[in-house]
Amino acid sequence: QVALVESGGGLVQAGGSLRLSCAASGRSFNSRLMGWFRQAPGKEREFVTAISLTSRSTWYGDSVKGRFTASRDNATNTVFLQMNGLKPEDTAVYYCAGKSTSFSYSYSSRYEYWGQGTQVTVSS
């Protein structure tokens, strides 16, 4: 069994930066693809990024390419999302998710484990 807990959200000004963390527990954590999704009020859940076990492969949604960076530290069972050049449209609840394989990395329905989310608010 895997448990995920996000942290690092908050209020930032447009153009600023924020670093999210996802702490994982469970013996199978290191064998899973990790992803970040976000959801704003009244909008559909959106794929943000995913990262493979060894960090060799990363994938990003079109809206965050060039601004967000995913990383992973398997020694501490932690994944990160570095967000730079934040925009008001980035405002959302950000969720960490885990998956047993790297297939269908951008589909939320294929992920097995989810955290409770952390709020990110970007002001104009």
Side-chain angles (χ1 to χ4, degrees):
Q1 186 173 343
V2 175
L4 306 175
V5 180
E6 304 94 337
S7 62
L11 175 64
V12 297
Q13 192 174 46
S17 298
L18 202 61
R19 181 178 171 89
L20 305 184
S21 298
C22 176
S25 62
R27 294 180 179 180
S28 298
F29 172 75
N30 287 341
S31 67
R32 302 179 187 275
L33 179 77
M34 301 301 300
W36 290 92
F37 293 79
R38 67 187 184 186
Q39 188 165 23
K43 297 183 179 180
E44 297 180 351
R45 185 163 295 187
E46 178 186 19
F47 169 73
V48 177
T49 185
I51 184 168
S52 63
L53 175 64
T54 63
S55 301
R56 182 176 182 272
S57 298
T58 55
W59 301 266
Y60 296 93
D62 290 340
S63 63
V64 305
K65 288 180 180 177
R67 299 188 298 119
F68 291 9
T69 303
S71 60
R72 182 169 185 165
D73 185 351
N74 293 334
T76 60
N77 293 326
T78 307
V79 294
F80 306 94
L81 180 63
Q82 179 66 47
M83 304 183 293
N84 299 323
L86 284 164
K87 305 174 181 179
E89 51 264 44
D90 294 319
T91 296
V93 176
Y94 283 70
Y95 297 93
C96 177
K99 190 176 183 295
S100 59
T101 70
S102 295
F103 294 105
S104 303
Y105 58 84
S106 65
Y107 293 88
S108 61
S109 62
R110 301 299 296 172
Y111 283 77
E112 303 167 58
Y113 304 100
W114 292 85
Q116 294 300 307
T118 184
Q119 177 70 48
V120 172
T121 303
V122 185
S123 62
S124 301

